[in-house]
């Protein structure tokens, strides 16, 4: 008798603010698990989610991990460190005469309440020290580094309590010698102090953005390193034998060692993993809406690629990082409802988080959250939360809402309905703002909603925006974990060239050759075979004397492709801003060259299923009374989402209950299950409006 070979597993983990999600596949089936995040020890929630998934598979965790060939991790560790201001005390070393550049603080000061707010101060003014040195824009040393003065500045900062140093010297991306020497001096004199150098993190033009990136990297280094040490040690002890691939904010992964060196590149890691999963789903042009326990994160996938920002914003501060364009607001299942000074009902951005959580969790929370409203309205069955493994207390939910209702003059149900409407309106505005910012027509997109709470708001948001189709993935509750399990390795390298067009083809070829060798070397270091690496080249261009650049691809090297750069830039510029914004015969500057490498890691992936019969009665659970937006209390059909098979169809109003999420199908909407198990909802009102418009 031939023994059955052990399956090979791919695992993805997403550590969120409220829940830690796990996805496992062996290439045939897929399993998912959730556990509450443990804020003070994130690795405990990670292991609990793994244990829950292993139990669902029916195999011991040690056996599962031993058979794992790929392990992807998305985490909020860096984002939480920045949000909670619990990073290492950080000092900043700058070129003499430039100490005030950081306090000027370029960024976005408009808060969610419409008021201007000061930007966060990660480095107070007393922890900024000037280093006597100067390099010019061509990399020539104008003033040699004063090593004694540098040592004195470092000693003063460390004596004052600094535990991490960010070094950002003028024009160091042209010549990093002074930065490297300053780091060597610091490490020799104070071996326990971490040093981040700007020329290694972000070696391109713009000192302030380079400085911000470096400061945030130094600030988060200690917290992330401690987290990563704990994760690697516990997983290795539990039987994991493969390296951990850590999800970056640019949509790919890199090694744990690289993540330790560059933790700032993990900000928004979890939400970006969900957008990466949306690309892998191949659903066409979609707006993604990820509503978890703490936030609602929105992004756009257009022409098969996620929209990106060349200079991402973190907590209002402009950075130099290129990352997937995710916009976030504080509207999640744990977002707290409250009354403002005028006695008006408000929702978020403060969250109950995992501890104590919403009132219905029964863990000591007394303030009502969005989840409490969903339970009170009958949209969530408290006995079915996490498949019944985590029963919710409906009476506590109603009691918390009643207390708030007395403040705002509403009964508990009206308070719950108000919380739902406010949360829905905030998310609708977030989606609308993203579309307006990019000049996109919502009617051209489907709305892909996921996260534990997202599918209860997807159809109403789509209806408000005129979107005709809503997609809820089969793995909606662990979609970011699915993205972490399936993301490619990604490396980027950039260099500022700053030349007017037409550029010299030989110089450009040499620049790209050096950058390509850099990313290919990094891929080899991660164990990616050269045949599995694809490389693309990009150029950042702008009209002469403009402030910001536009990125265009360089299709190939050589004189003909370089000659096309001006044409490609104008075409891209027109697509972004319209023909009226073109600067006629203005000269064009090539600012940066960039190489992006993607490494495909061999891993099992679930395959699509064939479509079966359309009759969904086999999955029917009966009916219950629930409050629906626009309809109030009404009788609603309830379906078991775990028993809905590809091809089955149903009509709203209905609630589809999976063990880790509930999906709302509005009155008159049609829903069907596709080959990948996604529930596709055709929104009746939007479709009717579109038909009239034709």
């Amino acid at each position: 008798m031939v023994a059955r070979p052990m399956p090979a597993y791919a695992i993805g983990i997403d550590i969120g603010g409220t829940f830690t999600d796990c996805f496992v596949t062996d290439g045939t089936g897929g399993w998912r698990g959730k556990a509450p995040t443990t804020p003070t020890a994130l690795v405990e929630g990670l292991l609990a989610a793994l244990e829950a998934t292993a139990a669902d598979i029916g195999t011991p965790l040690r056996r599962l991990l031993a058979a794992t060939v790929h392990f992807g991790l998305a985490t909020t560790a860096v984002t939480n460190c920045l949000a909670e201001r619990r990073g290492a005390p950080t000092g900043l070393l700058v070129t003499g005469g430039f100490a005030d550049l950081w306090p000027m603080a370029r960024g976005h000061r408009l808060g969610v309440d419409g008021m201007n707010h000061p930007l966060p101060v990660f480095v107070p003014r007393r922890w900024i020290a000037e280093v006597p040195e100067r390099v010019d824009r061509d990399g020539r040393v104008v003033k040699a580094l004063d090593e004694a003065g540098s040592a004195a500045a470092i000693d003063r900062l460390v004596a004052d309590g600094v535990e991490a140093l960010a070094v950002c010297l003028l024009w160091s991306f042209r010549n990093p010698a002074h930065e490297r020497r300053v780091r060597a001096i610091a490490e020799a004199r104070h071996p326990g102090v971490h040093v981040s150098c700007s020329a290694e993190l972000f070696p391109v033009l713009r000192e302030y953005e380079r400085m911000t990136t470096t400061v945030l990297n130094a600030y988060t280094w200690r917290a992330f390193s401690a987290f990563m040490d704990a994760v690697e040690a516990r997983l290795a002890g539990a039987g994991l034998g493969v390296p951990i691939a850590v999800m970056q904010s640019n949509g790919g992964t890199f090694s744990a060692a690289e993540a330790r060196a560059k933790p700032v590149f993990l900000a928004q890691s979890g939400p970006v993993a969900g957008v990466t999963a949306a690309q892998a789903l191949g659903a066409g042009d979609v707006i993604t809406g990820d509503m978890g326990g703490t936030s609602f994160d929105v992004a756009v996938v257009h022409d098969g690629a996620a929209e990106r920002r060349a200079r991402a914003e973190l907590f209002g501060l402009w950075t130099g990082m290129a990352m997937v364009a995710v916009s976030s607001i504080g509207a999640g299942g744990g977002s707290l409802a409250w009354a403002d000074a005028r006695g008006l009902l408000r929702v978020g951005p403060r969250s109950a988080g995992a501890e104590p959580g919403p009132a219905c969790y029964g863990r000591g929370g007394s303030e009502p959250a969005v989840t409490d409203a969903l339970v009170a309205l009958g949209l969530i069955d408290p006995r079915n939360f996490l498949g019944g493994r985590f029963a919710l207390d409906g009476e506590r939910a109603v009691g918390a809402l009643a207390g708030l209702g007395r403040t705002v003059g509403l009964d508990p149900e009206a308070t719950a309905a108000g919380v739902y409407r406010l949360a829905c309106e905030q998310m609708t505005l977030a989606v609308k703002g993203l579309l307006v910012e990019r000049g996109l027509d919502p009617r051209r997109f489907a709305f892909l909603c996921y996260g534990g709470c997202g599918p209860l708001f997807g159809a109403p948001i789509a209806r408000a925006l005129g979107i005709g189709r809503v997609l809820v993935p089969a793995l909606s509750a662990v979609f970011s974990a699915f993205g972490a399990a399936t993301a490619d390795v990604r490396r980027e390298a950039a260099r500022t060239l700053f030349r007017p067009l037409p550029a010299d083809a030989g110089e450009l070829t040499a620049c790209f050759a050096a950058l390509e060798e850099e990313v290919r070397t990094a891929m080899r270091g991660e164990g990616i075979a050269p045949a599995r690496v694809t490389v693309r080249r990009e150029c950042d261009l702008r009209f002469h004397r403009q402030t910001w650049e536009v990125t265009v691809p360089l299709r190939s090297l050589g004189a003909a492709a370089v000659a096309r750069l001006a044409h490609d830039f104008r075409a891209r510029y027109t697509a972004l801003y319209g023909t009226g914004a073109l600067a006629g015969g203005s000269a064009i500057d090539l600012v940066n060259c960039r190489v992006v490498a993607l490494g495909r890691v061999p891993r099992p992936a679930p395959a699509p299923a064939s479509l079966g019969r359309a009759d969904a009665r086999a999955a029917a659970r009966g009916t219950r009374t629930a409050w629906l937006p626009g309809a109030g209390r009404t009788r609603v059909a309830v379906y078991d989402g775990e028993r809905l098979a590809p091809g089955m169809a149903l009509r709203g109003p209905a609630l589809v209950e999976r063990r880790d999420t509930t999906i709302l199908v509005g009155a008159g909407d049609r829903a069907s299950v596709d080959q990948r198990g996604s529930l596709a909802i055709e929104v009746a009102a939007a479709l009717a409006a579109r038909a009239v418009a034709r």
Side-chain angles (χ1 to χ4, degrees), residues 544-565:
H544 187 57
R545 297 192 184 279
Q546 277 196 331
T547 304
W548 305 111
E549 299 85 41
V550 169
T551 301
V552 298
L554 180 64
R555 295 178 176 85
S556 62
L557 293 174
V562 172
R564 279 189 58 86
L565 274 175

Side-chain angles (χ1 to χ4, degrees), residues 75-86:
T75 174
T76 59
V78 172
T79 306
N80 290 346
C81 177
L82 293 171
E84 297 164 10
R85 309 291 191 270
R86 54 178 177 80

Side-chain angles (χ1 to χ4, degrees), residues 666-681:
D669 295 351
R670 301 189 303 270
S672 60
V673 184
D674 68 16
Q675 289 178 295
R676 293 187 177 274
S678 300
L679 190 70
I681 303 171

Side-chain angles (χ1 to χ4, degrees), residues 36 51 86 93 116 123 156 169 193 208-209 236 245 265 286 306 360 391 396 440-441 534 543-544 549 566 632 653 667:
E51 290 278 10
R86 54 178 177 80
L93 295 166
N116 276 325
V123 178
R156 178 182 68 78
L169 304 182
V193 173
Y208 178 77
E209 286 79 2
F265 289 87
V286 296
C360 60
R396 285 181 182 272
L440 301 173
D441 183 350
T534 57
F543 285 116
H544 187 57
E549 299 85 41

Side-chain angles (χ1 to χ4, degrees), residues 488-687:
D488 291 325
V489 178
R490 183 182 179 112
R491 287 302 187 100
E492 298 183 12
R495 181 177 299 171
T496 295
L497 202 59
F498 214 88
R499 298 287 188 271
L501 291 186
D504 180 82
E507 183 183 29
L508 212 57
T509 298
C511 179
F512 276 110
L515 294 174
E516 187 170 330
E517 178 57 29
E518 182 179 334
V519 295
R520 289 191 184 277
T521 299
M523 286 291 181
R524 287 194 294 271
E526 300 232 15
I528 309 297
R532 292 185 172 274
V533 177
T534 57
V535 172
R536 72 169 184 264
R537 306 172 190 90
E538 299 175 344
C539 294
D540 295 338
L541 302 119
R542 68 188 186 193
F543 285 116
H544 187 57
R545 297 192 184 279
Q546 277 196 331
T547 304
W548 305 111
E549 299 85 41
V550 169
T551 301
V552 298
L554 180 64
R555 295 178 176 85
S556 62
L557 293 174
V562 172
R564 279 189 58 86
L565 274 175
H567 172 271
D568 292 345
F569 166 71
R570 287 192 172 90
R572 179 61 178 155
Y573 199 96
T574 301
L576 288 172
Y577 306 116
T579 55
L582 281 175
S586 295
I588 299 171
D589 293 330
L590 188 157
V591 181
N592 300 316
C593 299
R594 183 182 300 104
V595 167
V596 178
L598 295 177
R600 291 173 286 110
V601 179
R603 64 175 72 87
S610 57
L611 296 177
R613 60 179 183 171
D615 190 351
R617 284 179 295 179
R621 277 184 172 168
T623 63
R624 74 165 178 259
T625 301
W627 177 93
L628 298 185
R633 282 279 173 181
T634 187
R635 205 74 186 164
V636 181
V638 180
Y639 291 86
D640 182 350
E642 306 298 332
R643 295 168 62 192
L644 280 176
M648 288 186 177
L650 57 98
R651 187 177 290 271
L655 292 169
V656 177
E657 294 183 333
R658 296 174 181 164
R659 70 171 185 266
D660 42 19
T661 192
T662 302
I663 306 165
L664 172 62
V665 182
D669 295 351
R670 301 189 303 270
S672 60
V673 184
D674 68 16
Q675 289 178 295
R676 293 187 177 274
S678 300
L679 190 70
I681 303 171
E682 304 296 330
V683 181
L687 292 174

Side-chain angles (χ1 to χ4, degrees), residues 14 74-76 268-276 290 295 297 326 328 450 480:
D14 172 38
T75 174
T76 59
Q268 293 282 19
S269 169
V272 168
V275 182
T276 302
D290 178 6
S295 65
D297 307 299
V326 176
S328 301
Y450 49 93
S480 289

